[in-house]
Amino acid sequence: MRFEEYRFLVKSDLYRYVGAASLGTFLKYLAWGEPGFKCTFWMRTGGYLSGQPFLRHFSRVADLVLRRYRYKYGIQLYAGSRIGSGFYIGHFGGIFVSGDAVIGRNCNISQGVTIGKTNRGERKGHPVIGDNVYVAPGAKIFGKVRVGNNVAIGANCVVSRDVPDNAVVVGIPCRVISRKGSGEYINRTDYGAAPAAADGVGLPAGRVRRT
């Protein structure tokens, strides 16, 4: 990952929270802002540093910060995770995102959400989630499932099967109740274009970037 890509990812995340991405806003929000942004920033930073030959040893700092935040805020992310631009965590507590999961642009997740892989059965593997997906409190997404673009996943919903684009799903297991999608839940996505040939920015459903 080039520095321009890393900077774009961090700025896009910040913009989703406050609608701005200046240096002053960044420093203020990193110190006093939402736990979700703090965790995402160190996730991005750890992934960037680990890919730089002369800086990779400093990625351990990011890992230590992420570990501290894991217990402080209850948000478990992994450095270098394949998460697209504009990642937003609305609330904290009880959040787990597998390091193997693939998440697209402008994903919103809430408290109590689990996005994890399954180690056996026909759905063995990890989720691939598209762009502009809203995941409500308590929802669980696990196994080798594909969640399409512009999907809204209801509170406490269990997603163990594929979900088509623009669907609204609820229940255990999930079922489609409408095709209105996530439009009302996803905002501040006009943060600008990604750098040319950006690596890992805007990973669409169905595409897994190998590392």
Side-chain angles (χ1 to χ4, degrees):
M1 179 189 297
R2 295 178 293 116
F3 178 76
E4 291 79 6
E5 299 165 30
Y6 162 73
R7 182 175 63 179
F8 172 78
L9 289 170
V10 172
K11 289 176 67 175
S12 69
D13 296 336
L14 180 61
Y15 189 87
R16 293 292 319 284
Y17 284 90
V18 295
S22 65
L23 178 60
T25 303
F26 164 73
L27 294 175
K28 180 179 179 180
Y29 219 67
L30 187 62
W32 307 106
E34 293 289 339
F37 176 73
K38 295 178 183 179
C39 293
T40 303
F41 168 76
W42 288 105
M43 175 198 73
R44 304 282 197 203
T45 300
Y48 169 71
L49 292 174
S50 64
Q52 307 305 311
F54 300 105
L55 298 174
R56 64 180 54 181
H57 293 297
F58 292 100
S59 66
R60 297 177 183 176
V61 175
D63 289 335
L64 289 174
V65 175
L66 279 174
R67 184 172 298 183
R68 177 175 179 268
Y69 284 166
R70 183 180 304 166
Y71 298 108
K72 182 177 182 179
Y73 299 128
I75 300 175
Q76 188 162 346
L77 300 175
Y78 294 92
S81 294
R82 294 169 289 181
I83 298 176
S85 56
F87 188 50
Y88 178 87
I89 301 176
H91 303 280
F92 61 93
I95 294 172
F96 171 78
V97 179
S98 169
D100 294 323
V102 179
I103 300 176
R105 297 182 294 263
N106 306 320
C107 180
N108 285 27
I109 66 174
S110 309
Q111 69 272 23
V113 166
T114 296
I115 301 175
K117 67 178 181 179
T118 299
N119 293 320
R120 59 184 178 181
E122 62 179 9
R123 290 289 184 178
K124 180 180 179 180
H126 55 264
V128 176
I129 299 174
D131 298 338
N132 307 314
V133 173
Y134 172 79
V135 187
K140 316 298 181 205
I141 308 170
F142 57 88
K144 189 178 180 180
V145 298
R146 298 189 184 279
V147 177
N149 298 320
N150 311 309
V151 167
I153 299 173
N156 299 315
C157 180
V158 175
V159 179
S160 56
R161 60 183 65 166
D162 293 349
V163 179
D165 292 350
N166 305 307
V168 178
V169 294
V170 299
I172 306 174
C174 68
R175 67 183 188 280
V176 178
I177 62 169
S178 84
R179 296 284 182 167
K180 294 182 179 180
S182 61
E184 297 178 355
Y185 301 100
I186 306 293
N187 56 20
R188 292 177 177 158
T189 61
D190 57 333
Y191 44 79
D199 183 24
V201 177
L203 295 166
R207 176 186 174 193
V208 177
R209 180 175 60 87
R210 300 296 182 186
T211 57

